[in-house]
Short mmCIF file of all heavy atoms in Angstrom, two decimals:
data_model
loop_
_atom_site.label_atom_id
_atom_site.label_comp_id
_atom_site.label_asym_id
_atom_site.label_seq_id
_atom_site.Cartn_x
_atom_site.Cartn_y
_atom_site.Cartn_z
N MET A 1 125.04 83.39 148.64
CA MET A 1 123.73 82.74 148.82
C MET A 1 123.85 81.25 148.55
O MET A 1 124.46 80.84 147.58
CB MET A 1 122.71 83.35 147.85
CG MET A 1 121.37 82.68 147.90
SD MET A 1 120.42 82.96 146.42
CE MET A 1 121.23 81.87 145.27
N ARG A 3 121.49 78.21 147.88
CA ARG A 3 120.10 77.83 147.61
C ARG A 3 119.91 76.35 147.86
O ARG A 3 120.66 75.51 147.36
CB ARG A 3 119.75 78.15 146.16
CG ARG A 3 118.34 77.84 145.80
CD ARG A 3 117.92 78.53 144.52
NE ARG A 3 119.04 78.82 143.64
CZ ARG A 3 119.17 78.26 142.45
NH1 ARG A 3 118.32 77.38 142.02
NH2 ARG A 3 120.18 78.59 141.66
N GLY A 35 104.88 77.11 131.50
CA GLY A 35 105.59 78.38 131.64
C GLY A 35 106.48 78.44 132.84
O GLY A 35 107.59 78.98 132.78
N ASN A 36 106.06 77.90 133.94
CA ASN A 36 106.82 77.98 135.19
C ASN A 36 106.90 76.59 135.82
O ASN A 36 105.96 76.12 136.45
CB ASN A 36 106.13 78.97 136.15
CG ASN A 36 106.95 79.19 137.41
OD1 ASN A 36 107.78 78.37 137.79
ND2 ASN A 36 106.72 80.32 138.04
N TRP A 37 108.05 75.96 135.66
CA TRP A 37 108.19 74.59 136.14
C TRP A 37 108.08 74.50 137.66
O TRP A 37 107.60 73.52 138.20
CB TRP A 37 109.53 74.01 135.68
CG TRP A 37 109.57 73.65 134.24
CD1 TRP A 37 110.29 74.25 133.26
CD2 TRP A 37 108.84 72.60 133.60
NE1 TRP A 37 110.07 73.65 132.05
CE2 TRP A 37 109.18 72.63 132.23
CE3 TRP A 37 107.93 71.64 134.03
CZ2 TRP A 37 108.64 71.74 131.30
CZ3 TRP A 37 107.39 70.75 133.10
CH2 TRP A 37 107.75 70.81 131.77
N ARG A 38 108.54 75.53 138.34
CA ARG A 38 108.52 75.49 139.80
C ARG A 38 107.08 75.47 140.32
O ARG A 38 106.77 74.76 141.28
CB ARG A 38 109.27 76.70 140.35
CG ARG A 38 109.66 76.58 141.81
CD ARG A 38 110.50 77.80 142.20
NE ARG A 38 110.77 77.82 143.61
CZ ARG A 38 111.78 77.17 144.18
NH1 ARG A 38 112.57 76.44 143.46
NH2 ARG A 38 111.98 77.25 145.48
N LYS A 51 111.76 70.63 138.89
CA LYS A 51 112.88 70.10 138.12
C LYS A 51 112.59 68.68 137.65
O LYS A 51 112.88 68.30 136.51
CB LYS A 51 114.12 70.11 139.00
CG LYS A 51 115.42 70.02 138.28
CD LYS A 51 116.53 70.27 139.27
CE LYS A 51 117.87 70.28 138.58
NZ LYS A 51 118.95 70.62 139.51
N ARG A 54 110.10 68.80 134.86
CA ARG A 54 110.69 69.23 133.59
C ARG A 54 111.47 68.10 132.94
O ARG A 54 111.37 67.84 131.75
CB ARG A 54 111.62 70.43 133.83
CG ARG A 54 112.30 70.94 132.59
CD ARG A 54 113.08 72.21 132.85
NE ARG A 54 114.07 72.09 133.92
CZ ARG A 54 115.26 71.50 133.76
NH1 ARG A 54 115.60 70.99 132.61
NH2 ARG A 54 116.09 71.44 134.77
N ASN A 87 131.54 66.39 124.64
CA ASN A 87 130.38 65.96 125.44
C ASN A 87 129.27 67.01 125.50
O ASN A 87 128.63 67.15 126.54
CB ASN A 87 130.83 65.62 126.86
CG ASN A 87 131.75 64.43 126.91
OD1 ASN A 87 131.98 63.77 125.90
ND2 ASN A 87 132.28 64.15 128.06
N ARG A 88 129.07 67.71 124.45
CA ARG A 88 127.99 68.71 124.44
C ARG A 88 126.72 68.03 123.96
O ARG A 88 126.29 68.18 122.81
CB ARG A 88 128.38 69.90 123.57
CG ARG A 88 129.47 70.74 124.18
CD ARG A 88 129.92 71.84 123.26
NE ARG A 88 130.80 72.78 123.93
CZ ARG A 88 132.10 72.59 124.10
NH1 ARG A 88 132.66 71.50 123.66
NH2 ARG A 88 132.82 73.49 124.73
N TRP A 89 126.14 67.29 124.87
CA TRP A 89 125.04 66.38 124.51
C TRP A 89 123.82 67.13 124.00
O TRP A 89 123.15 66.66 123.08
CB TRP A 89 124.67 65.51 125.72
CG TRP A 89 125.84 64.78 126.27
CD1 TRP A 89 126.41 64.94 127.49
CD2 TRP A 89 126.64 63.80 125.59
NE1 TRP A 89 127.50 64.12 127.63
CE2 TRP A 89 127.67 63.41 126.49
CE3 TRP A 89 126.60 63.21 124.33
CZ2 TRP A 89 128.63 62.45 126.15
CZ3 TRP A 89 127.56 62.27 123.99
CH2 TRP A 89 128.55 61.89 124.90
N SER A 90 123.54 68.26 124.56
CA SER A 90 122.36 69.01 124.09
C SER A 90 122.58 69.52 122.68
O SER A 90 121.66 69.55 121.87
CB SER A 90 122.05 70.16 125.04
OG SER A 90 123.13 71.06 125.07
N ASN A 102 119.85 63.28 127.18
CA ASN A 102 120.04 62.19 128.14
C ASN A 102 120.16 60.85 127.41
O ASN A 102 121.03 60.03 127.71
CB ASN A 102 118.86 62.15 129.10
CG ASN A 102 119.22 61.54 130.44
OD1 ASN A 102 120.33 61.69 130.92
ND2 ASN A 102 118.27 60.85 131.04
N LYS A 105 123.42 60.66 125.54
CA LYS A 105 124.50 60.45 126.51
C LYS A 105 124.57 58.98 126.93
O LYS A 105 125.65 58.38 126.98
CB LYS A 105 124.22 61.34 127.72
CG LYS A 105 125.32 61.39 128.74
CD LYS A 105 125.08 62.53 129.72
CE LYS A 105 123.70 62.51 130.35
NZ LYS A 105 123.45 63.64 131.24
P DC C 3 125.34 90.74 146.46
OP1 DC C 3 125.63 90.86 147.91
OP2 DC C 3 126.19 89.88 145.62
"O5'" DC C 3 123.82 90.27 146.30
"C5'" DC C 3 122.79 91.15 146.71
"C4'" DC C 3 121.43 90.57 146.33
"O4'" DC C 3 121.21 90.75 144.91
"C3'" DC C 3 121.29 89.07 146.62
"O3'" DC C 3 120.05 88.86 147.27
"C2'" DC C 3 121.31 88.42 145.23
"C1'" DC C 3 120.75 89.53 144.35
N1 DC C 3 121.19 89.52 142.93
C2 DC C 3 120.23 89.64 141.91
O2 DC C 3 119.04 89.73 142.22
N3 DC C 3 120.64 89.63 140.61
C4 DC C 3 121.94 89.53 140.33
N4 DC C 3 122.30 89.55 139.04
C5 DC C 3 122.93 89.42 141.35
C6 DC C 3 122.51 89.42 142.62
P DT C 4 119.77 87.50 148.01
OP1 DT C 4 119.04 87.79 149.27
OP2 DT C 4 120.99 86.68 148.04
"O5'" DT C 4 118.75 86.83 147.00
"C5'" DT C 4 117.58 87.55 146.63
"C4'" DT C 4 116.91 86.88 145.45
"O4'" DT C 4 117.68 87.11 144.25
"C3'" DT C 4 116.78 85.36 145.59
"O3'" DT C 4 115.40 85.06 145.70
"C2'" DT C 4 117.41 84.80 144.32
"C1'" DT C 4 117.50 86.01 143.40
N1 DT C 4 118.64 86.04 142.45
C2 DT C 4 118.38 86.21 141.10
O2 DT C 4 117.25 86.33 140.65
N3 DT C 4 119.49 86.23 140.30
C4 DT C 4 120.81 86.10 140.71
O4 DT C 4 121.72 86.15 139.90
C5 DT C 4 121.01 85.93 142.13
C7 DT C 4 122.40 85.77 142.66
C6 DT C 4 119.93 85.91 142.92
P DA C 5 114.92 83.57 145.94
OP1 DA C 5 113.73 83.64 146.82
OP2 DA C 5 116.07 82.72 146.29
"O5'" DA C 5 114.42 83.18 144.47
"C5'" DA C 5 113.63 84.11 143.75
"C4'" DA C 5 113.39 83.58 142.35
"O4'" DA C 5 114.59 83.79 141.56
"C3'" DA C 5 113.08 82.09 142.28
"O3'" DA C 5 111.98 81.92 141.40
"C2'" DA C 5 114.35 81.45 141.75
"C1'" DA C 5 114.96 82.58 140.92
N9 DA C 5 116.43 82.58 140.85
C8 DA C 5 117.30 82.36 141.87
N7 DA C 5 118.57 82.44 141.51
C5 DA C 5 118.51 82.75 140.17
C6 DA C 5 119.51 82.97 139.20
N6 DA C 5 120.81 82.91 139.46
N1 DA C 5 119.11 83.25 137.94
C2 DA C 5 117.80 83.31 137.68
N3 DA C 5 116.76 83.11 138.50
C4 DA C 5 117.20 82.84 139.74
P DC C 6 111.25 80.51 141.31
OP1 DC C 6 109.81 80.78 141.18
OP2 DC C 6 111.75 79.61 142.37
"O5'" DC C 6 111.79 79.95 139.92
"C5'" DC C 6 111.68 80.80 138.77
"C4'" DC C 6 112.63 80.32 137.71
"O4'" DC C 6 113.98 80.58 138.11
"C3'" DC C 6 112.56 78.83 137.43
"O3'" DC C 6 111.86 78.64 136.21
"C2'" DC C 6 114.01 78.39 137.32
"C1'" DC C 6 114.80 79.69 137.37
N1 DC C 6 116.12 79.62 138.04
C2 DC C 6 117.27 79.88 137.31
O2 DC C 6 117.17 80.16 136.12
N3 DC C 6 118.47 79.80 137.93
C4 DC C 6 118.54 79.49 139.22
N4 DC C 6 119.74 79.43 139.79
C5 DC C 6 117.36 79.22 139.99
C6 DC C 6 116.19 79.30 139.37
P DA C 7 111.54 77.19 135.68
OP1 DA C 7 110.20 77.22 135.06
OP2 DA C 7 111.84 76.19 136.74
"O5'" DA C 7 112.63 77.04 134.54
"C5'" DA C 7 112.80 78.10 133.61
"C4'" DA C 7 113.96 77.80 132.68
"O4'" DA C 7 115.21 77.94 133.39
"C3'" DA C 7 113.96 76.39 132.08
"O3'" DA C 7 114.33 76.49 130.71
"C2'" DA C 7 115.00 75.64 132.91
"C1'" DA C 7 115.97 76.75 133.31
N9 DA C 7 116.61 76.57 134.61
C8 DA C 7 116.01 76.24 135.79
N7 DA C 7 116.85 76.16 136.80
C5 DA C 7 118.08 76.47 136.25
C6 DA C 7 119.37 76.57 136.80
N6 DA C 7 119.64 76.34 138.08
N1 DA C 7 120.37 76.89 135.97
C2 DA C 7 120.10 77.12 134.68
N3 DA C 7 118.93 77.06 134.05
C4 DA C 7 117.95 76.73 134.90
P DG C 8 114.33 75.19 129.81
OP1 DG C 8 113.95 75.62 128.45
OP2 DG C 8 113.60 74.09 130.48
"O5'" DG C 8 115.87 74.80 129.80
"C5'" DG C 8 116.81 75.78 129.42
"C4'" DG C 8 118.22 75.25 129.59
"O4'" DG C 8 118.56 75.23 130.99
"C3'" DG C 8 118.42 73.81 129.07
"O3'" DG C 8 119.55 73.80 128.23
"C2'" DG C 8 118.63 72.98 130.33
"C1'" DG C 8 119.23 74.01 131.29
N9 DG C 8 119.03 73.74 132.70
C8 DG C 8 117.85 73.42 133.33
N7 DG C 8 117.99 73.23 134.61
C5 DG C 8 119.33 73.43 134.85
C6 DG C 8 120.06 73.37 136.05
O6 DG C 8 119.65 73.10 137.19
N1 DG C 8 121.42 73.65 135.85
C2 DG C 8 121.98 73.95 134.64
N2 DG C 8 123.29 74.19 134.63
N3 DG C 8 121.30 74.02 133.51
C4 DG C 8 119.99 73.75 133.68
P DC C 9 119.86 72.53 127.34
OP1 DC C 9 120.07 73.03 125.96
OP2 DC C 9 118.89 71.45 127.59
"O5'" DC C 9 121.25 72.06 127.92
"C5'" DC C 9 122.30 73.01 128.13
"C4'" DC C 9 123.34 72.41 129.05
"O4'" DC C 9 122.82 72.40 130.40
"C3'" DC C 9 123.68 70.97 128.71
"O3'" DC C 9 125.01 70.90 128.21
"C2'" DC C 9 123.55 70.21 130.03
"C1'" DC C 9 123.32 71.27 131.07
N1 DC C 9 122.31 70.89 132.09
C2 DC C 9 122.70 70.73 133.43
O2 DC C 9 123.89 70.89 133.72
N3 DC C 9 121.76 70.40 134.36
C4 DC C 9 120.50 70.24 133.98
N4 DC C 9 119.62 69.91 134.93
C5 DC C 9 120.07 70.40 132.62
C6 DC C 9 121.00 70.73 131.72
P DG C 10 125.49 69.55 127.54
OP1 DG C 10 126.41 69.94 126.46
OP2 DG C 10 124.33 68.67 127.25
"O5'" DG C 10 126.31 68.85 128.70
"C5'" DG C 10 127.39 69.55 129.30
"C4'" DG C 10 127.91 68.76 130.48
"O4'" DG C 10 126.89 68.73 131.51
"C3'" DG C 10 128.26 67.30 130.18
"O3'" DG C 10 129.48 66.99 130.84
"C2'" DG C 10 127.07 66.51 130.75
"C1'" DG C 10 126.64 67.40 131.91
N9 DG C 10 125.22 67.31 132.25
C8 DG C 10 124.16 67.27 131.39
N7 DG C 10 123.00 67.17 132.00
C5 DG C 10 123.32 67.15 133.34
C6 DG C 10 122.49 67.05 134.47
O6 DG C 10 121.25 66.96 134.52
N1 DG C 10 123.23 67.05 135.66
C2 DG C 10 124.60 67.14 135.73
N2 DG C 10 125.13 67.14 136.95
N3 DG C 10 125.39 67.24 134.67
C4 DG C 10 124.69 67.23 133.52
P DG C 11 130.07 65.52 130.87
OP1 DG C 11 131.52 65.67 130.66
OP2 DG C 11 129.29 64.63 129.99
"O5'" DG C 11 129.83 65.06 132.38
"C5'" DG C 11 130.31 65.90 133.42
"C4'" DG C 11 130.00 65.28 134.77
"O4'" DG C 11 128.58 65.33 135.02
"C3'" DG C 11 130.40 63.81 134.91
"O3'" DG C 11 130.96 63.61 136.20
"C2'" DG C 11 129.09 63.06 134.71
"C1'" DG C 11 128.07 64.04 135.28
N9 DG C 11 126.75 63.97 134.68
C8 DG C 11 126.46 63.99 133.33
N7 DG C 11 125.18 63.91 133.08
C5 DG C 11 124.60 63.82 134.34
C6 DG C 11 123.23 63.70 134.70
O6 DG C 11 122.25 63.65 133.96
N1 DG C 11 123.07 63.63 136.08
C2 DG C 11 124.10 63.68 136.99
N2 DG C 11 123.76 63.60 138.27
N3 DG C 11 125.38 63.79 136.66
C4 DG C 11 125.55 63.85 135.32
P DT C 12 131.48 62.18 136.68
OP1 DT C 12 132.57 62.42 137.66
OP2 DT C 12 131.71 61.32 135.50
"O5'" DT C 12 130.23 61.59 137.48
"C5'" DT C 12 129.67 62.37 138.53
"C4'" DT C 12 128.47 61.65 139.11
"O4'" DT C 12 127.37 61.72 138.18
"C3'" DT C 12 128.69 60.17 139.41
"O3'" DT C 12 128.55 60.01 140.81
"C2'" DT C 12 127.62 59.44 138.59
"C1'" DT C 12 126.61 60.53 138.27
N1 DT C 12 125.86 60.40 136.99
C2 DT C 12 124.48 60.33 137.03
O2 DT C 12 123.84 60.33 138.06
N3 DT C 12 123.88 60.24 135.80
C4 DT C 12 124.50 60.23 134.57
O4 DT C 12 123.85 60.14 133.53
C5 DT C 12 125.93 60.31 134.60
C7 DT C 12 126.70 60.31 133.32
C6 DT C 12 126.54 60.40 135.79
P DT C 13 128.66 58.56 141.49
OP1 DT C 13 129.23 58.78 142.84
OP2 DT C 13 129.27 57.63 140.55
"O5'" DT C 13 127.13 58.15 141.67
"C5'" DT C 13 126.21 59.14 142.13
"C4'" DT C 13 124.81 58.55 142.20
"O4'" DT C 13 124.22 58.51 140.87
"C3'" DT C 13 124.75 57.12 142.74
"O3'" DT C 13 123.65 57.05 143.61
"C2'" DT C 13 124.54 56.28 141.48
"C1'" DT C 13 123.72 57.21 140.61
N1 DT C 13 123.79 57.03 139.14
C2 DT C 13 122.62 57.04 138.41
O2 DT C 13 121.53 57.17 138.91
N3 DT C 13 122.79 56.89 137.05
C4 DT C 13 123.98 56.73 136.38
O4 DT C 13 123.99 56.60 135.16
C5 DT C 13 125.17 56.72 137.20
C7 DT C 13 126.50 56.55 136.56
C6 DT C 13 125.02 56.87 138.53
P DG C 14 123.62 55.99 144.80
OP1 DG C 14 123.44 56.76 146.05
OP2 DG C 14 124.75 55.05 144.64
"O5'" DG C 14 122.26 55.20 144.51
"C5'" DG C 14 121.11 55.94 144.13
"C4'" DG C 14 120.12 55.02 143.44
"O4'" DG C 14 120.47 54.91 142.04
"C3'" DG C 14 120.08 53.59 143.98
"O3'" DG C 14 118.75 53.14 143.88
"C2'" DG C 14 120.98 52.84 143.02
"C1'" DG C 14 120.64 53.54 141.71
N9 DG C 14 121.64 53.46 140.66
C8 DG C 14 123.01 53.38 140.81
N7 DG C 14 123.65 53.35 139.67
C5 DG C 14 122.65 53.42 138.71
C6 DG C 14 122.73 53.43 137.30
O6 DG C 14 123.75 53.38 136.59
N1 DG C 14 121.47 53.51 136.70
C2 DG C 14 120.28 53.58 137.40
N2 DG C 14 119.17 53.65 136.68
N3 DG C 14 120.19 53.58 138.72
C4 DG C 14 121.40 53.49 139.31
P DG C 15 118.21 52.06 144.91
OP1 DG C 15 117.58 52.79 146.02
OP2 DG C 15 119.27 51.05 145.18
"O5'" DG C 15 117.07 51.38 144.04
"C5'" DG C 15 116.27 52.20 143.19
"C4'" DG C 15 115.92 51.45 141.93
"O4'" DG C 15 117.03 51.51 140.99
"C3'" DG C 15 115.60 49.98 142.14
"O3'" DG C 15 114.51 49.64 141.32
"C2'" DG C 15 116.88 49.27 141.66
"C1'" DG C 15 117.30 50.20 140.52
N9 DG C 15 118.71 50.15 140.16
C8 DG C 15 119.78 50.09 141.01
N7 DG C 15 120.94 50.07 140.38
C5 DG C 15 120.60 50.11 139.04
C6 DG C 15 121.43 50.12 137.89
O6 DG C 15 122.67 50.08 137.82
N1 DG C 15 120.67 50.18 136.71
C2 DG C 15 119.30 50.23 136.66
N2 DG C 15 118.75 50.28 135.44
N3 DG C 15 118.51 50.22 137.73
C4 DG C 15 119.22 50.16 138.88
P DC C 16 113.59 48.43 141.69
OP1 DC C 16 112.30 48.97 142.16
OP2 DC C 16 114.35 47.45 142.52
"O5'" DC C 16 113.36 47.78 140.25
"C5'" DC C 16 113.23 48.62 139.11
"C4'" DC C 16 113.81 47.93 137.91
"O4'" DC C 16 115.25 48.07 137.89
"C3'" DC C 16 113.50 46.43 137.86
"O3'" DC C 16 112.78 46.15 136.67
"C2'" DC C 16 114.88 45.76 137.86
"C1'" DC C 16 115.81 46.88 137.38
N1 DC C 16 117.21 46.80 137.86
C2 DC C 16 118.26 46.81 136.95
O2 DC C 16 118.00 46.87 135.74
N3 DC C 16 119.55 46.75 137.40
C4 DC C 16 119.78 46.69 138.72
N4 DC C 16 121.06 46.64 139.12
C5 DC C 16 118.72 46.69 139.67
C6 DC C 16 117.47 46.74 139.21
#
Side-chain angles (χ1 to χ4, degrees):
Chain A
M1 176 202 75
R3 182 163 26 116
N36 186 337
W37 285 112
R38 196 176 174 84
K51 199 171 183 176
R54 179 174 56 79
N87 295 354
R88 289 175 170 83
W89 305 115
S90 62
N102 206 33
K105 188 167 53 183

